[in-house]
């Protein structure tokens, strides 16, 4: 299989869907000649022209609102929000309009749209360009939230998101754009709401997503040398959440750690722990369930502070050791 | 001036020679030299910041304002120390022109504990709250709503100052501008809106993404007086800003100024400048605000070539000192990462 980057996988999914379905279009800031702030849509203007690569003023509220309006009458917009932080300027059309239209109108409306947004810290861009806000989105009925960690998952999940009949927030991690992985040439999709086991193990289940999957895998390698066998489960879709796969894994390992970059308080780790406590896996637990998350702070500028604000490989290693060695 | 993408007449005077203009504006020769010095300081400071970025000493992202010093200094010279400033991401010049300590600025860029924000904010969030500078902003248009609140509080507290909010042409397309204009207008708030039109919001040419320019029509639609000024003419900016600030200061309500200028560097560190030509950038460099002012001052014998050399030397030295202050300052301790979240 050919290897492509995470960035290329986003683009390939969009390009293939735009070729297949003329209702699909991309709308956002600087997505044409500039190629998007992270270069994801570079070259798409040349292929599809300004009618389908719709470059907007700096007006996030109107971008998401316009995408929702277009979706309501049958188009399939993909809106790019340059940094996830800016979705906060567009919460009204997303939460009060797009998310609720179908329900309010008795199931008669559909709002098939995707909002792509790069999340996360690690670039030194500080507090207003580094947030992981997926939990806020997960809280809203009517919205689906996807957060892929590999190029393969990106492509399969983005195609499914574009074809989905609901508003889907597609959360890309900006540090992963350069990450490479195998992606088949032929078309494939990955259904929303299905987790993936990224590494099999028997001592502990680590649930993580986005960049934390990679950090968890690195931690697992280190721990393997000490004889600790880690299973890494990537939900891939945070909403709907595949509780079943996680529960089965926890039943097998008897321990669970959830790792995310988003801040700890009211983060989705809590949702996963609560969900697991509602399943039979609860009876199989040999240790308290734990979570390792971003500290409850805005992301600082100084690189050492920035690194200290979110879980690093070493933190994951130590936390797993503590759980497995019954320190809690 | 090279053809601007906004086709309209400027509201500032520019006919008379520099000394006559200065006299009309009550600016002494010393004031003129000071304005020139500040422009050089900004230019050299940013060139150093760019160099440090290339060396990996400044990280993250940075938005340089080289080419826009006329707006910064024309404005900064007008404003009072007690006025509030809501700056934007491309605001190094405005901060320096409002009297920033470049040691603390450089330390912030290097993420040091001695920086204006103790290394927590960086270039894009630099602030000096003690001096009524309420910060640069990473959110395009992020200061525009705050301005209405600051203006309202000035009135409530019966302070005699004003708030200056600075934003780009790109930010003028955020819907919040209308909400803020409307509030400021109905409540007669002492807000000076300054739109620094450098003709691009990232890669978006202002005329491509804006229904109607100059933007002053948008202000006028709310009953707010609007002015359009040549931003590369530092005296023109001074003249218009002086009138504008006076309008707000004498409690006649909000006012809007749009200064036409140009940015030389890319938008930020990821820009490959694919949306404009080298020729266009060059044509604007020939209208450089520093170059234009320098010529005027030389022609009027306000300064000599020797003075200029001296100013450059002095400023370079001040900037080198700022760098060494920053480099010798401690970094924050990572165990303090949770400090400052709550009061
Ligand atoms: C709400 C929001 N949207 C988008 C961005 C990304 N961005 C940063 S600066 C910029 C262009 C701003 O243009 P303008 O207001 O004209 O200021 P300039 O950069 O030209 O000084 C964009 C799109 C942002 N920081 N915040």
């Amino acid at each position: 299989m050919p290897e492509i980057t995470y960035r290329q996988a986003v683009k390939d999914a969009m390009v293939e869907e735009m070729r297949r379905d003329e209702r699909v279009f991309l709308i956002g800031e600087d997505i044409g000649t500039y190629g998007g702030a992270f270069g994801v849509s570079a070259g798409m203007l040349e292929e599809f022209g300004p009618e389908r690569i719709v470059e907007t003023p700096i007006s996030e509220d109107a971008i998401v609102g316009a995408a929702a309006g277009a979706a309501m009458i049958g188009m399939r917009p993909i809106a790019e929000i340059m940094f996830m932080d800016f979705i906060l300027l567009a919460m009204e059309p997303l939460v009060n309009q797009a998310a609720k239209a179908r329900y309010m109108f008795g199931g008669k409306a559909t709002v098939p749209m995707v909002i792509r947004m790069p999340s996360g810290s690690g670039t030194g861009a500080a507090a207003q360009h580094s947030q992981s806000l997926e939990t806020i989105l997960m809280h809203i009925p009517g919205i689906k939230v996807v957060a892929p960690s590999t190029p393969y998952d990106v492509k399969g999940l983005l195609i499914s998101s574009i074809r989905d009949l609901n508003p889907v927030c597609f959360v890309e991690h900006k540090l992963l754009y350069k990450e490479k992985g195998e992606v088949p040439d032929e078309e494939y999709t990955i259904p929303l709401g299905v987790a993936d086991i990224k590494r099999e193990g028997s001592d502990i289940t680590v649930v993580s997503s986005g960049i934390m999957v990679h950090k968890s895998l690195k931690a697992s390698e280190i721990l393997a040398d000490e004889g600790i066998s880690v299973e890494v489960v990537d939900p891939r879709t945070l909403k709907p959440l595949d509780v079943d796969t996680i529960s089965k894994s926890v039943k097998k390992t008897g321990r669970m750690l959830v790792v995310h970059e988003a801040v700890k308080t009211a983060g989705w780790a809590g949702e996963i722990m609560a969900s697991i406590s509602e399943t039979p896996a609860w009876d199989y637990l040999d240790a308290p369930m734990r979570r390792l998350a971003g500290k409850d702070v805005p992301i600082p500028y100084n690189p050492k502070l920035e690194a200290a604000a979110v879980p690093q490989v070493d933190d994951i290693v130590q936390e797993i050791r503590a759980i497995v060695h019954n320190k809690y | 001036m090279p053809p601007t993408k906004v086709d309209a007449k400027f509201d500032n005077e520019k006919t008379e020679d520099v000394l006559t203009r200065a006299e009309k504006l009550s600016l002494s020769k010393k004031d003129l030299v000071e304005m020139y010095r500040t422009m050089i300081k900004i230019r050299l400071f940013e060139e150093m910041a760019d160099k440090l970025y290339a060396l990996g000493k400044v990280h993250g992202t940075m938005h340089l304002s080289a080419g826009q010093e006329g707006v910064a200094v024309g404005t900064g010279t007008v404003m009072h120390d007690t006025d509030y400033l809501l700056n934007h991401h491309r605001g190094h010049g405005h901060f320096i022109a409002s009297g920033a300590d470049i040691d603390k600025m450089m330390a912030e860029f290097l993420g040091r504990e001695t920086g204006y924000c103790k290394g927590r904010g960086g270039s894009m969030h630099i602030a000096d709250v003690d001096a009524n500078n309420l910060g640069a902003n990473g959110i395009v248009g992020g200061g525009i709503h705050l301005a209405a609140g600051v203006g309202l509080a000035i009135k409530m507290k019966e302070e005699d100052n004003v708030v200056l909010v600075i934003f780009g042409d790109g930010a003028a397309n955020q819907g919040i501008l209308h909400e803020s204009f409307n509030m400021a207008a109905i409540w007669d708030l002492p807000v000076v809106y300054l739109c620094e039109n450098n003709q691009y919001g990232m890669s978006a040419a202002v005329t491509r993404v804006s229904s109607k320019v100059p933007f002053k029509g948008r202000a006028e639609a709310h009953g707010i007086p609007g002015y359009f000024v040549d931003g590369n003419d530092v005296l023109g900016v001074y003249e218009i800003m002086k009138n504008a600030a006076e309008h707000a200061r004498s409690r006649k309500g909000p006012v809007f100024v749009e200064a036409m200028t140009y940015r030389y560097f890319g938008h930020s560190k990821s820009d490959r400048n694919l949306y404009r030509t080298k020729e266009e950038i060059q044509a604007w460099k020939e209208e450089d605000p520093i170059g234009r002012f320098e010529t005027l001052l030389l022609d009027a014998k306000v300064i000599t070539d020797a003075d200029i050399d001296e100013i450059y030397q002095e400023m370079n030295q001040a900037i080198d000192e700022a760098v060494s202050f920053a480099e010798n300052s401690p970094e924050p301790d990572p165990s303090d990462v949770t400090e400052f979240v709550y009061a």
Side-chain angles (χ1 to χ4, degrees):
Chain A
M1 269 197 276
E3 278 215 335
I4 63 169
T5 60
Y6 188 100
R7 173 189 283 114
Q8 186 69 37
V10 178
K11 179 179 171 186
D12 286 357
M14 293 195 292
V15 166
E16 285 170 29
E17 284 301 281
M18 284 180 67
R19 285 183 191 148
R20 189 188 61 81
D21 181 349
E22 62 183 23
R23 296 171 302 175
V24 180
F25 69 95
L26 181 63
I27 180 167
E29 295 160 14
D30 300 282
I31 55 175
T33 314
Y34 200 98
F38 292 92
V40 173
S41 58
M44 288 179 70
L45 179 66
E46 286 73 12
E47 175 169 354
F48 298 104
E51 297 76 22
R52 296 180 72 198
I53 302 297
V54 182
E55 286 200 81
T56 68
I58 306 171
S59 309
E60 285 77 13
D61 196 349
I63 293 169
V64 173
M72 285 172 86
I73 65 160
M75 299 300 283
R76 295 291 179 103
I78 306 169
E80 176 173 299
I81 292 296
M82 196 181 282
F83 284 77
M84 184 182 214
D85 312 67
F86 312 155
I87 192 64
L88 297 173
L89 282 79
M91 287 307 263
E92 201 292 313
L94 176 59
V95 176
N96 282 327
Q97 310 302 332
K100 296 173 174 52
R102 182 172 187 79
Y103 190 87
M104 292 188 301
F105 303 154
K108 289 185 181 160
T110 53
V111 191
M113 63 188 278
V114 175
I115 311 177
R116 295 182 29 245
M117 47 190 119
S119 73
S121 64
T123 66
Q128 295 172 336
H129 285 69
S130 305
Q131 295 172 86
S132 301
L133 299 169
E134 56 274 15
T135 312
I136 294 181
L137 304 169
M138 288 166 71
H139 192 65
I140 307 302
I143 296 176
K144 295 186 181 180
V145 183
V146 181
S149 64
T150 66
Y152 179 85
D153 290 348
V154 162
K155 188 164 176 199
L157 288 165
L158 184 50
I159 292 178
S160 294
S161 300
I162 295 167
R163 295 180 189 178
D164 198 275
L165 291 178
N166 302 286
V168 178
C169 292
F170 197 84
V171 183
E172 299 161 14
H173 197 290
K174 55 177 86 87
L175 291 189
L176 292 178
Y177 281 126
K178 289 189 187 134
E179 194 72 30
K180 284 194 170 157
E182 290 188 340
V183 172
D185 278 329
E186 58 278 5
E187 186 187 298
Y188 67 98
T189 59
I190 299 172
L192 304 189
V194 179
D196 188 39
I197 297 178
K198 295 294 185 202
R199 177 190 173 106
E200 289 198 26
S202 53
D203 294 328
I204 183 167
T205 298
V206 172
V207 182
S208 56
S209 98
I211 190 145
M212 289 301 158
V213 172
H214 299 266
K215 291 188 182 176
S216 301
L217 289 171
K218 282 197 190 112
S220 309
E221 308 238 314
I222 294 167
L223 290 161
D225 295 340
E226 301 173 14
I228 298 176
S229 166
V230 180
E231 176 144 308
V232 178
V233 182
D234 176 358
R236 300 194 290 195
T237 305
L238 293 172
K239 191 174 187 178
L241 186 64
D242 181 0
V243 176
D244 203 38
T245 298
I246 302 170
S247 167
K248 280 192 185 121
S249 172
V250 174
K251 244 174 154 177
K252 180 176 79 174
T253 64
R255 297 180 183 92
M256 182 174 82
L257 170 68
V258 187
V259 186
H260 61 56
E261 180 169 340
V263 299
K264 187 170 182 174
T265 301
W268 52 263
E271 181 61 32
I272 294 201
M273 291 158 85
S275 300
I276 291 307
S277 74
E278 290 168 346
T279 72
W282 175 257
D283 290 329
Y284 292 75
L285 284 171
D286 296 327
M289 297 185 283
R290 301 280 301 177
R291 61 197 153 146
L292 192 58
K295 298 212 165 65
D296 281 309
V297 295
I299 297 294
Y301 168 69
N302 173 282
K304 288 179 190 146
L305 289 180
E306 184 181 25
V310 301
Q312 302 299 341
V313 174
D314 194 44
D315 303 320
I316 302 174
V317 168
Q318 288 186 35
E319 187 64 23
I320 292 175
R321 266 191 207 134
I323 297 171
V324 172
H325 295 144
N326 294 317
K327 293 276 158 59
Y328 294 112
Chain B
M1 233 185 196
T4 61
K5 297 214 170 73
V6 177
D7 191 16
K9 229 175 102 333
F10 292 129
D11 295 318
N12 57 302
E13 303 270 353
K14 49 187 293 197
T15 43
E16 295 121 326
D17 75 284
V18 66
L19 290 179
T20 320
R21 281 176 79 192
E23 202 184 316
K24 276 195 184 170
L25 297 168
S26 315
L27 287 169
S28 67
K29 280 189 188 174
K30 204 170 148 239
D31 294 333
L32 296 179
V33 175
E34 192 50 39
M35 290 169 86
Y36 175 76
R37 284 164 55 89
T38 308
M39 290 170 89
I40 302 295
K41 190 179 194 176
I42 296 170
R43 178 71 56 90
L44 295 178
F45 179 89
E46 287 207 306
E47 283 173 0
M48 178 58 82
D50 191 46
K51 209 161 99 189
L52 294 176
Y53 190 91
L55 291 171
K57 293 187 179 181
V58 174
H59 78 304
T61 190
M62 206 164 49
H63 304 87
L64 298 170
S65 67
Q68 306 181 192
E69 294 87 347
V71 186
V73 173
T75 302
T77 310
V78 166
M79 304 312 292
H80 296 179
D81 287 347
T82 51
D83 290 334
Y84 293 95
L85 171 63
L86 287 159
N87 208 341
H88 72 153
H89 60 282
R90 203 176 302 286
H92 304 158
H94 286 285
F95 192 15
I96 292 174
S98 75
D101 174 345
I102 59 170
D103 288 4
K104 288 193 199 166
M105 254 181 111
M106 204 53 103
E108 187 59 32
F109 287 21
L110 267 66
R112 304 301 162 122
E113 194 67 43
T114 52
Y116 268 113
C117 307
K118 297 178 185 284
R120 269 68 169 181
S123 147
M124 199 161 45
H125 305 294
I126 202 158
D128 183 7
V129 177
D130 296 336
N132 286 359
N133 172 345
L134 301 177
N137 214 307
I139 299 301
V140 169
I144 295 173
H145 22 33
L146 298 178
V150 176
L152 180 64
I154 288 174
K155 266 190 103 167
M156 290 172 156
K157 293 167 71 182
E158 298 181 359
E159 291 183 13
D160 56 10
N161 46 3
V162 304
V163 54
L164 167 69
V165 55
I166 300 163
F167 50 94
D169 46 288
N173 287 321
Q174 290 282 27
I176 189 66
L177 187 67
H178 287 288
E179 298 185 27
S180 180
F181 273 168
N182 188 49
M183 273 190 185
I186 57 174
W187 297 331
D188 285 329
L189 303 180
V191 182
V192 181
Y193 294 91
L194 172 60
C195 176
E196 191 159 10
N197 185 346
N198 62 10
Q199 311 187 46
Y200 292 93
M202 237 164 123
S203 68
V206 59
T207 46
R208 179 162 59 81
V209 293
S210 312
S211 52
K212 196 162 182 287
V213 280
F215 291 108
K216 69 177 183 179
R218 295 186 183 181
E220 285 162 357
H222 292 272
I224 297 174
Y227 300 95
F228 184 53
V229 60
D230 174 358
N232 286 9
D233 170 15
V234 65
L235 290 181
V237 175
Y238 180 87
E239 173 197 322
I240 295 292
M241 284 304 296
K242 197 173 176 203
N243 295 339
E246 184 48 38
H247 180 93
R249 216 176 286 291
S250 59
R251 299 297 179 256
K252 294 195 183 115
V255 58
F256 171 85
V257 176
E258 173 174 356
M260 203 63 203
T261 183
Y262 197 79
R263 97 173 123 70
Y264 298 156
F265 284 99
H267 162 72
S268 69
K269 291 296 159 187
S270 62
D271 189 351
R272 290 178 295 145
N273 275 317
L274 298 175
Y275 49 87
R276 55 182 185 173
T277 61
K278 285 202 183 73
E279 291 72 29
E280 181 186 288
I281 300 174
Q282 192 47 45
W284 276 94
K285 284 189 171 169
E286 276 151 34
E287 289 297 326
D288 185 57
I290 299 181
R292 277 170 63 182
F293 195 42
E294 189 176 286
T295 308
L296 291 178
L297 296 181
L298 283 170
D299 288 351
K301 304 214 168 11
V302 177
I303 50 169
T304 64
D305 285 323
D307 294 335
I308 294 177
D309 286 347
E310 204 175 302
I311 292 171
Y312 269 85
Q313 262 179 27
E314 203 185 311
M315 291 305 165
N316 273 321
Q317 193 186 333
I319 287 158
D320 288 345
E321 280 167 19
V323 174
S324 82
F325 171 79
E327 287 188 323
N328 291 315
S329 292
E331 287 198 61
D333 184 339
S335 65
D336 290 339
V337 66
T338 53
E339 228 184 321
F340 312 127
V341 179
Y342 294 101

